[in-house]
């Protein structure tokens, strides 16, 4: 009989506040609620990346408000951007090059894009919220249209990772008349000016800054942004006239943007004159000499937040015109005094009031350095109503969010100017996660409570609700365990101390200097009366639990207190890395630094077996519940299963993982006897695996972590197990109702490997074709398993549909001769779909494909299928069956196979039919739109006649209507 196994899947993930891979975005309130009208007392919300998820935190309360997760995406979130017009819409870029646009109200995906071949590094919306520009590590910039859900084009010109993107806003000098095809002039006053975005500013690690014209996609200007290496960041002022690029060694370069020149260039007809729109204004130097990773201009006030990779954010201030004049006058006065003292002639200069001639260091001055609790990952401004203080939200790389309040310059004037401005940390989100790497996990006896230990903190979690119950300060924890009763936790530290903590009171009961070196491992005796600890001081010590009566100071009463009493010591020749006791309490197994494993009798501490075979030190061991097998894992990537009766090797998995195997464990108390030899392993390759210790087969491979898995613990009966990784996440894996058969699991793994290889190869072919093309503009396409599947479905539908279409057409022809002719036997598929026609089936198949993936799916279709596809497109246009989709498919296929289609004589008649149907459809729509426009003008006149009572009001109405025509209305994405 074929054996089946229980299937494990990830049930939940927690412990991550922000993963340090994505930026942080601050919002005043939650999704479109009544908060905009009511006065808010909170500190806003922070959207951060948490590995493959995006989390929304209440900054003041430290509560998790929402969690965005796509089950089909396993890549980590790398960048987040918020739409300026629809505040509930967010774009999130991921490490696999995909982009998802989320609705914050429903936490659902609106649109998915897939065009980059590596991690997305920058995302930016245009001011209208209808376009999205993305840059990635593959050096490409893609402009996406959110309304049509299409990639407009790909810009290629940079030679390294994109580090900055910005849509440049310019004023329109001419715009289209709503009634004619002529351009009309727009008023020159600021309130009447309409803004447009026809240019994109970009920076890259190749140290170049470029301006792209996205109306006629091409690069119009390129400069070397940094002189000392890569350009790591770009910041643009709120008015769009100044930008700052940053590189290594704290260097900042300031640029001015000629918006008027760009506006004229945008509407210039014919060949453009060569002009410069970016002007180098000078170089600034930060106090920190590390590379600058982020520049953020305040949207309302004249402040700039600049940070590197250290524990500090430097705030700079933009001086006003009066301050610049005073500074220039002071410098001029000092130079005069110096010249008078040295009896030299005074240097001739321009007027001190000329602000344009001021050096960049006169305009941008350091304000204050904000020290943070960890290395800074990203910053965002907290925009409030008051002007007395400026607030800053900081996401750090140690899994923490902080907000700081800094006294503004206006308020600081009242105090002494010699002291730096005051700042203080107002809020922080740090309780729901560890700030350092988790080194040990332990489950309580009822599997409801989880303890996680790291350097400086010990946290207790409710496994079901994922909430943090307690946070205790401890030493540099390396191992931990619940004591019997689940009321006390024992922690072993790097300094050789054993720490006892009471859970109820969150208090340290006792601290014992147990060893002279780090305590790498400890295990509670199966009888629950003692504990064994192993250390780098080459000894294993046995400790009994004793309850003593301790006097309460100042009284005659006593209180019971647990105490550790050392009973025995086992000395060995090398550092002890791990130890474990057999469930029958007969054997003690010790793993040493010299790659050997020694088995001792527990009662006499005499040597029983020496286990040799690993090439690197053994990191973890586990003994099966029947005390017959022991599994060892090592830094040599292998897992070995040994018999405890004779110390012989049963099986060696030489490459169990692709890196060091950090954890291995059997189920402590399995319900079924067959599961007593079920083995779990976890390694530095981010993967968790399950193994059959009897058949020596891998059962399942579980992916989910994004960094090395360092700790693992198994529940009592194996219903769940918990893992912790360097990505700061704690993941709970639970048993599902599905069963696993080894042959089916191997077939599934082979299919996944084949599909991924096939998609990668196809995508590489397309990429090579693009690389051979030296044009700086290309189509954005990327082949994935999903697009291959969609393309195969279209071809299958065309094949079945054409056969059925021919059959039905012959039957209709014969029926004109013989009216009593019976209907033909069609394919059963059409009957199962509701007896629909072949053309309707093909249209439904194409319509189900997401708009963003349709073009990539059509690339899979070979040219031999084109005649059949065009035949049905002609029918769609003629019968008005979703003519928009039909024309889009036809137009794209015409672009892809243009040379073959032009050379083909058989397609001439079909193309003529398509053209006639298309022209007829366009004329009908033009007539309908013209009719609707006339009706709207008629309704406008009726409303105007009902409201206007005098000549003056009529003029005011005309002005309001003219202003209303100038406003752009964009389709709501959500």
């Amino acid at each position: 009989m074929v054996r089946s196994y229980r299937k494990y899947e990830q049930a939940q993930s927690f412990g991550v506040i922000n993963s340090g891979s994505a930026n942080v975005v601050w919002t005043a309130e939650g999704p479109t609620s009544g908060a905009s009208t009511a006065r808010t007392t909170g500190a806003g919300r922070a959207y951060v990346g948490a590995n493959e998820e995006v989390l929304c935190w209440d900054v003041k309360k430290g509560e998790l408000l929402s969690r965005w997760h796509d089950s089909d995406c396993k890549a980590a979130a790398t960048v987040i951007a918020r739409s300026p017009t629809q505040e509930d819409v967010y774009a999130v870029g991921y490490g696999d090059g995909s982009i998802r646009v989320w609705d914050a109200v429903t936490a659902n995906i609106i649109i998915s894009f897939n065009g980059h071949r590596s991690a997305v590094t920058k995302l930016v919306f245009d001011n209208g919220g209808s376009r999205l520009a993305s840059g990635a590590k593959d050096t490409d910039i893609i402009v996406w249209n959110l309304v049509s859900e299409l990639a407009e084009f790909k810009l290629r010109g940079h030679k390294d990772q994109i580090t900055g993107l910005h849509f440049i806003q310019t004023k329109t000098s001419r715009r289209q008349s709503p009634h004619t095809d002529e351009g009309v002039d727009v008023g020159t006053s600021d309130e009447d000016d309409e803004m447009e975005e026809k240019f994109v500013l970009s920076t890259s690690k190749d140290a170049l800054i470029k301006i792209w014209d996205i109306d006629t996609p091409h690069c119009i200007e390129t400069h070397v942004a940094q002189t000392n290496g890569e350009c790591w960041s770009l910041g643009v002022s709120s008015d769009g006239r100044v930008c700052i690029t940053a590189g290594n060694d704290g260097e900042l370069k300031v640029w001015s943007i000629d918006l008027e020149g760009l506006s004229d260039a945008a509407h210039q007809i014919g060949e453009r004159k060569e002009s410069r729109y970016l002007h180098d204004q000078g170089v600034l130097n930060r106090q920190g000499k590390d590379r600058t990773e982020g520049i953020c201009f305040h949207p309302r006030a004249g402040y700039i937040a600049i940070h590197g990779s250290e524990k500090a954010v430097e705030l700079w201030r933009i001086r006003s015109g009066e301050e610049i004049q005073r500074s220039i006058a002071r410098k001029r006065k000092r130079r005069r005094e110096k010249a008078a003292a040295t009896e030299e002639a005074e240097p001739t200069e321009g007027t001190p009031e000329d602000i344009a001639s001021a050096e960049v260091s006169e305009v941008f001055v350091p304000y204050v350095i904000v020290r943070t609790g960890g290395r800074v990952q990203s910053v965002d401004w907290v925009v409030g109503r008051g002007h007395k203080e400026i607030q800053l939200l900081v996401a750090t790389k140690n899994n923490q969010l902080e907000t700081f309040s800094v006294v503004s310059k206006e308020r600081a004037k009242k105090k002494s100017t010699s002291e730096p401005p005051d700042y203080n940390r107002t809020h922080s989100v740090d309780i729901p996660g560890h700030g350092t790497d988790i080194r040990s996990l332990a489950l309580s006896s009822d599997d409801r409570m989880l303890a996680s230990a790291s350097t400086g903190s010990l946290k207790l979690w409710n496994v079901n609700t994922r909430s943090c119950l307690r946070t205790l300060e401890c030493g540099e924890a390396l191992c931990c365990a619940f004591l019997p009763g689940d009321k006390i936790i024992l922690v072993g530290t790097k300094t050789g101390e054993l720490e006892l903590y009471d859970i109820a009171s969150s208090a340290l009961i006792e601290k014992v200097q147990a060893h002279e070196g780090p305590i790498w491992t400890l295990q509670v005796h199966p009888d629950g009366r003692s504990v064994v600890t192993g250390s780098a001081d080459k000894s294993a010590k046995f400790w009994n639990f004793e309850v003593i009566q301790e006097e309460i100071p100042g009284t005659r009463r006593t209180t019971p207190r647990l105490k550790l009493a050392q009973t025995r010591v086992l000395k060995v020749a090398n550092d002890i890395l791990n130890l474990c006791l057999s469930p029958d309490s007969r054997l003690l197994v010790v793993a040493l630094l010299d790659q050997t494993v020694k088995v001792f009798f527990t009662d006499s501490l005499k040597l029983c077996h020496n286990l040799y075979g690993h090439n690197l030190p053994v990191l973890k061991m586990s003994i099966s519940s029947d005390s017959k097998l022991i599994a060892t894992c090592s830094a040599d990537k292998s897992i070995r299963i040994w018999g405890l009766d004779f110390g012989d090797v049963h099986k060696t998995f030489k490459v169990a993982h692709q890196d060091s195997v950090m954890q291995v464990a059997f189920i402590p108390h399995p319900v079924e006897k067959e599961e007593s030899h079920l083995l779990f392993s976890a390694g530095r390759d981010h993967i968790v695996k399950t193994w059959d210790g009897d058949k020596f087969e891998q059962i399942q491979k579980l992916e989910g972590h994004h960094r090395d898995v360092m700790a693992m613990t198994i529940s009592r009966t194996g219903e769940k197990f918990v893992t912790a990784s360097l990505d700061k996440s704690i993941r709970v894996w639970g048993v599902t109702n599905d069963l696993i058969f080894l042959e089916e699991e191997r077939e599934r793994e082979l299919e996944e490997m084949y599909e991924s290889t096939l998609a990668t190869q196809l995508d590489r072919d397309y990429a090579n074709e693009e690389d051979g093309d030296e044009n700086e503009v290309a189509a954005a396409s990327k082949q994935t398993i999903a697009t291959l599947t969609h393309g195969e479905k279209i071809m299958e539908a065309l094949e079945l549909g054409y056969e059925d279409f021919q059959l039905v057409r012959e039957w209709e022809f014969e029926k004109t001769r013989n009216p009593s002719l019976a209907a033909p036997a069609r394919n059963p598929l059409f009957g199962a779909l509701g007896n629909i026609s072949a053309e309707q089936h093909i249209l439904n198949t194409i319509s189900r494909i997401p708009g963003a993936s349709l073009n990539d799916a059509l690339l899979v279709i070979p040219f031999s299928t084109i005649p059949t596809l065009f035949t049905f497109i002609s029918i769609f246009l003629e019968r008005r069956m979703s003519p928009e989709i039909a024309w889009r498919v036809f137009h794209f296929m015409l672009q892809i196979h243009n040379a073959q289609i032009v050379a083909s004589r058989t397609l001439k008649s079909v193309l003529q039919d398509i053209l006639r149907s298309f022209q007829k459809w366009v004329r009908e729509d033009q007539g309908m739109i013209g009719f609707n426009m006339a009706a709207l003008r008629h309704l406008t006149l009726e409303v105007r006649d009902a409201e206007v009572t005098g000549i003056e009001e009529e003029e005011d109405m005309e002005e309001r209507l003219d202003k209303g025509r100038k406003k752009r209305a964009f389709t709501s994405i959500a």
Side-chain angles (χ1 to χ4, degrees):
M1 183 177 178
V2 178
R3 183 179 174 184
S4 61
Y5 303 88
R6 295 192 294 179
K7 185 178 181 180
Y8 287 87
E9 286 184 356
Q10 181 178 321
Q12 50 194 323
S13 173
F14 54 93
V16 183
I17 299 172
N18 70 293
S19 58
S21 59
N23 61 309
V24 60
V25 175
W26 179 88
T27 59
E29 280 302 325
T32 53
S33 59
S36 58
T37 57
R39 185 178 179 85
T40 59
T41 58
R45 301 184 177 190
Y47 289 87
V48 293
N51 295 323
E52 71 276 11
E53 299 177 326
V54 176
L55 305 181
C56 175
W57 293 96
D58 186 314
V59 177
K60 185 175 182 179
K61 298 179 181 178
E63 294 178 356
L64 180 62
L65 301 177
S66 65
R67 183 190 298 265
W68 304 345
H69 176 55
D70 182 7
S71 58
D72 296 331
C73 179
K74 296 180 180 179
T78 54
V79 61
I80 306 171
R82 186 188 188 192
S83 173
T85 54
Q86 302 180 62
E87 297 182 348
D88 300 335
V89 175
Y90 293 81
V92 182
Y94 293 86
D96 59 356
S98 61
I99 300 169
R100 289 165 178 80
V101 181
W102 292 85
D103 183 1
V105 179
T106 60
N108 290 328
I109 298 174
I110 305 170
I111 311 170
S112 291
F113 296 120
N114 207 337
H116 290 288
R117 289 175 173 82
S118 56
V120 182
T121 55
K122 285 295 174 183
L123 285 175
V124 59
F125 284 91
D126 69 350
N127 196 49
S130 62
R131 286 185 300 185
L132 177 71
S134 63
K137 288 184 177 180
D138 60 6
T139 75
D140 294 333
I141 300 169
I142 300 179
V143 178
W144 309 88
N145 191 315
L146 299 182
V147 179
S148 62
E149 302 183 9
L150 288 174
E152 294 186 353
F153 45 80
K154 179 193 295 183
L155 301 173
R156 300 182 300 175
H158 287 291
K159 302 301 180 184
D160 210 330
Q161 169 185 329
I162 305 299
T163 57
L165 281 176
H166 178 74
F167 279 97
I168 300 176
Q169 279 191 318
T170 58
K171 296 178 182 178
T172 56
S173 57
R174 297 177 65 83
R175 68 176 177 87
Q176 189 72 20
S177 169
H179 308 296
T180 67
D181 293 334
E182 298 178 1
V184 295
D185 290 330
V186 178
T188 57
S189 62
D190 292 340
E191 62 180 17
D192 287 342
D193 278 333
E194 185 179 349
M195 307 301 289
E196 62 184 1
E197 291 165 315
K198 293 189 176 182
F199 301 94
V200 168
L201 184 68
S202 68
T203 58
S204 168
K205 277 177 63 179
D206 60 7
L208 297 181
I209 179 169
K210 290 175 176 283
I211 296 181
W212 303 85
D213 185 335
I214 57 177
D215 220 12
T216 57
H218 69 287
C219 178
I220 63 173
E221 190 172 351
T222 302
H223 293 276
V224 177
Q226 303 302 133
T227 59
N228 58 350
E230 300 95 340
C231 177
W232 286 99
S233 183
L234 169 70
V236 183
S237 62
S238 56
D239 61 359
R241 294 184 177 276
V242 177
C243 71
I244 298 177
T245 57
N248 297 322
D249 303 327
E251 181 189 75
L252 307 172
K253 186 174 281 191
V254 182
W255 306 80
S256 64
I257 305 174
D258 184 6
L259 298 182
E260 287 74 15
L262 286 172
S263 179
D264 294 339
H267 300 89
Q268 185 177 344
I269 300 174
E271 189 175 350
R272 290 178 182 168
K273 299 178 181 178
E274 290 189 6
S275 302
R276 290 187 60 185
Y277 308 107
L278 273 176
H279 302 281
D280 185 0
Q281 298 298 319
V283 175
L284 301 171
N285 287 287
R286 291 173 46 225
Q287 181 172 338
K289 295 304 177 184
D290 56 328
R291 77 181 186 204
T292 304
E293 296 187 346
I295 302 173
C296 186
F297 279 78
H298 197 287
R300 296 180 185 175
Y303 296 93
I304 312 169
I306 304 173
H307 72 86
S309 57
E310 301 299 327
K311 299 181 179 181
V313 179
E314 296 185 23
L315 297 188
W316 290 61
R317 190 173 61 85
I318 305 174
R319 282 175 169 172
S320 62
E322 295 180 359
E323 289 180 292
I324 296 172
Q325 288 178 354
R326 289 197 297 268
S327 176
I328 295 174
R330 283 196 301 269
K331 284 191 174 182
R332 187 178 178 88
K333 182 180 178 181
R334 284 197 295 267
R335 281 195 292 267
R336 284 177 182 171
E337 294 174 353
K338 186 177 180 181
T342 57
E343 296 181 354
E344 293 180 0
E346 180 185 349
T348 58
E349 295 181 355
T351 58
E353 290 79 9
D354 188 5
I355 300 176
S357 64
E359 295 181 1
V360 68
S361 58
E362 300 288 344
V363 182
F364 300 94
V365 292
Y367 186 58
V368 67
I369 298 178
V370 178
R371 302 293 177 181
T372 59
R375 295 170 60 195
V376 180
Q377 167 66 24
S378 71
V379 299
D380 197 12
W381 290 104
V382 177
V383 183
R385 297 180 180 177
H387 299 284
K388 296 181 180 179
E389 293 181 333
I390 52 175
Q391 292 182 307
L392 193 68
L393 173 64
V394 180
T396 60
K397 293 182 180 179
N398 63 340
N399 202 25
Q400 187 172 306
L401 291 174
E402 297 176 310
T403 57
F404 294 91
S405 179
V406 184
V407 177
S408 64
K409 179 66 176 178
E410 292 75 13
R411 189 175 178 183
K413 286 180 181 179
K414 301 176 182 179
K415 300 182 179 180
S416 175
T417 56
S418 60
E419 297 180 1
D422 295 332
Y423 71 89
N424 63 309
R425 191 174 79 164
T426 53
H427 304 98
S428 67
V429 183
D430 53 5
I431 292 178
H434 283 276
T436 53
D437 299 335
I438 300 173
R439 301 301 301 268
S440 179
L441 293 174
L443 277 168
S444 61
S445 58
D446 58 1
D447 299 330
R448 295 171 61 184
M449 198 158 49
L450 174 73
S452 59
S454 67
T455 300
S457 67
L458 171 69
K459 290 182 180 287
L460 296 176
W461 308 83
N462 186 319
V463 177
N464 297 324
T465 63
R466 299 182 286 187
S467 59
C468 182
L469 305 176
R470 297 279 192 279
T471 299
L472 311 174
E473 291 186 4
C474 66
E476 297 183 52
L478 298 176
C479 52
C480 67
F482 280 93
L483 299 191
D486 298 332
K487 295 181 179 180
I488 295 174
I489 296 179
L490 179 64
V491 176
T493 67
K494 194 173 183 179
T495 57
E497 295 176 331
L498 285 175
E499 299 175 348
L500 284 170
Y501 291 93
D502 180 59
I503 297 176
S505 62
S506 300
L508 176 65
I509 300 175
E510 186 181 14
K511 182 185 291 187
V512 180
Q513 187 63 47
H515 291 271
E516 296 177 358
I519 301 176
W520 292 111
T521 177
L522 62 85
Q523 184 177 356
V524 178
H525 197 279
D527 63 7
R529 297 179 181 179
S530 61
V531 65
V532 186
T533 59
S535 169
D537 64 359
K538 306 177 183 179
S539 68
K541 295 185 179 181
F542 294 77
W543 307 81
N544 281 349
F545 303 134
E546 295 181 356
V547 179
I548 61 172
Q549 297 296 324
E550 189 178 58
E551 293 185 1
I552 301 176
T555 65
R556 295 183 179 180
R557 292 179 297 172
T558 59
T559 180
R561 187 169 72 86
L562 183 68
K563 190 174 182 179
L564 295 175
Q566 181 182 334
T567 56
R568 294 185 294 170
V569 178
L570 172 65
K571 293 285 186 178
V572 290
N574 274 282
D575 296 5
I576 296 177
L577 300 182
N578 194 250
L579 60 79
C580 60
L581 290 160
S582 61
D584 59 5
S585 306
R586 190 173 68 92
L587 300 174
L588 169 68
V589 186
V590 178
L592 303 180
L593 188 62
D594 62 358
Q595 310 163 20
T596 62
V597 177
K598 296 184 180 294
V599 183
F600 297 91
F601 291 104
T602 308
D603 50 2
S604 63
L605 297 183
K606 290 184 178 180
L607 183 64
C608 177
H609 300 300
N610 274 321
L611 308 182
Y612 300 100
H614 283 289
N615 298 323
L616 289 173
V618 174
L619 303 177
K620 192 71 175 179
M621 302 179 298
S622 181
I623 299 177
S624 61
S625 58
D626 56 7
S627 301
K628 292 182 178 180
L629 297 179
I630 179 172
T632 60
C633 66
S634 167
D636 62 7
K637 309 179 186 178
S638 69
I639 296 175
R640 289 175 179 260
I641 299 177
W642 317 71
L644 280 177
D645 291 338
F646 303 101
D648 55 329
V649 180
H650 288 193
K651 180 65 177 178
T652 299
F653 301 102
K654 289 188 177 180
V655 188
H657 288 261
Q658 298 302 315
D659 208 331
S660 301
V661 188
M662 303 300 297
Q663 296 288 327
V664 67
F666 286 102
I667 298 176
H669 301 280
V671 177
E672 299 180 5
K673 187 178 179 181
E674 294 179 348
E675 293 187 344
S676 60
H677 293 169
L678 190 67
L679 186 66
F680 299 83
S681 68
R684 287 187 177 270
D685 58 354
H686 318 167
I687 293 175
V688 180
K689 295 183 179 182
T690 59
W691 309 81
D692 186 338
D694 292 326
K695 294 186 175 182
F696 312 122
E697 293 278 353
Q698 177 188 318
I699 302 172
Q700 197 176 357
K701 182 168 69 174
L702 302 169
E703 298 178 350
H705 283 289
H706 297 271
R707 291 189 63 190
D708 307 358
V709 183
M710 302 299 294
M712 181 174 67
T713 181
I714 314 296
S715 67
R716 183 177 177 85
T717 59
E719 293 291 327
K720 68 181 79 166
F721 67 94
V722 187
T723 56
S725 166
L726 296 184
D727 61 11
K728 300 293 192 296
S729 69
I730 300 173
R731 298 176 189 262
V732 180
W733 311 80
V735 172
T736 63
N737 295 326
D738 299 332
L739 294 176
I740 285 182
F741 298 92
L742 292 180
E743 291 184 3
E744 293 180 0
E745 190 68 13
R746 295 295 85 76
E747 288 178 5
R748 186 186 64 80
E749 290 178 0
L750 288 174
E751 285 178 5
E752 288 181 355
M753 186 185 302
Y754 169 74
E755 289 177 352
S756 62
T757 306
L758 178 63
T760 304
Q761 184 61 42
L762 278 173
D763 193 46
R764 189 183 295 117
D765 294 340
Y766 286 116
N768 292 336
E769 291 177 8
E770 291 181 2
D771 292 340
D773 187 5
E774 296 181 356
N775 294 331
E776 63 182 13
V777 181
S781 63
K782 180 183 178 183
Q783 289 297 331
T784 61
I785 293 299
T787 57
L788 290 175
T789 305
H790 293 322
E792 290 172 356
K793 286 181 179 178
I794 294 176
M795 289 190 288
E796 183 182 355
L798 286 172
E799 184 180 353
L800 293 175
Y802 191 69
E803 292 178 2
D804 186 78
F805 176 72
Q806 294 278 48
L807 181 66
V808 172
R809 190 166 64 174
E810 291 176 2
W811 172 74
E812 289 176 348
F813 178 75
E814 294 293 335
K815 192 176 181 181
T816 57
R817 300 178 181 178
N818 183 11
S820 60
L821 184 66
R826 302 177 64 196
N827 192 305
L829 174 66
F830 297 101
L833 295 174
N835 204 25
I836 60 175
S837 62
E839 49 269 30
Q840 187 63 51
H841 171 58
I842 294 172
L843 183 61
N844 291 344
T845 303
I846 296 175
S847 301
R848 287 193 205 100
I849 300 174
S853 304
L854 182 56
N855 288 358
D856 292 330
L858 292 173
L859 287 173
V860 182
I861 299 177
F863 180 74
S864 59
T865 318
I866 296 296
T868 306
L869 178 62
F870 280 8
T871 302
F872 283 104
I873 288 176
S874 178
I875 296 173
F876 297 155
L877 290 171
E878 183 180 355
R879 300 180 185 178
R880 305 296 184 269
M881 299 170 63
S882 300
E884 298 86 359
I885 296 178
W887 180 254
R888 175 184 167 184
V889 172
F890 172 74
H891 185 262
F892 182 76
M893 299 306 291
L894 197 62
Q895 289 177 313
I896 297 300
H897 302 285
N898 184 53
Q900 296 94 325
I901 292 173
V902 171
S904 174
R905 295 183 179 180
T906 57
L907 291 175
K908 184 177 180 180
S909 59
V910 180
L911 293 174
Q912 289 175 344
D913 293 340
I914 291 175
L915 181 60
R916 281 194 296 269
S917 300
F918 172 72
Q919 290 175 341
K920 187 177 179 181
W921 167 55
V922 170
R923 285 194 297 269
E924 290 177 0
D925 276 15
Q926 283 178 340
M928 181 180 63
I929 292 171
F931 180 83
N932 291 339
M933 289 291 292
L936 288 172
R937 284 196 292 269
H938 178 70
L939 291 174
T940 304
L941 291 174
E942 286 187 353
V943 172
R944 189 188 306 176
D945 292 341
E947 292 183 359
V948 174
T949 57
I951 298 176
E952 295 180 356
E953 292 188 10
E954 186 172 356
E955 293 176 353
D956 294 340
M957 177 64 72
E958 286 288 347
E959 291 181 4
R960 289 202 299 272
L961 287 174
D962 288 340
K963 287 183 181 179
R965 292 193 192 104
K966 294 170 189 171
K967 301 296 182 184
R968 286 184 178 179
F970 293 100
T971 306
S972 172
I973 301 168

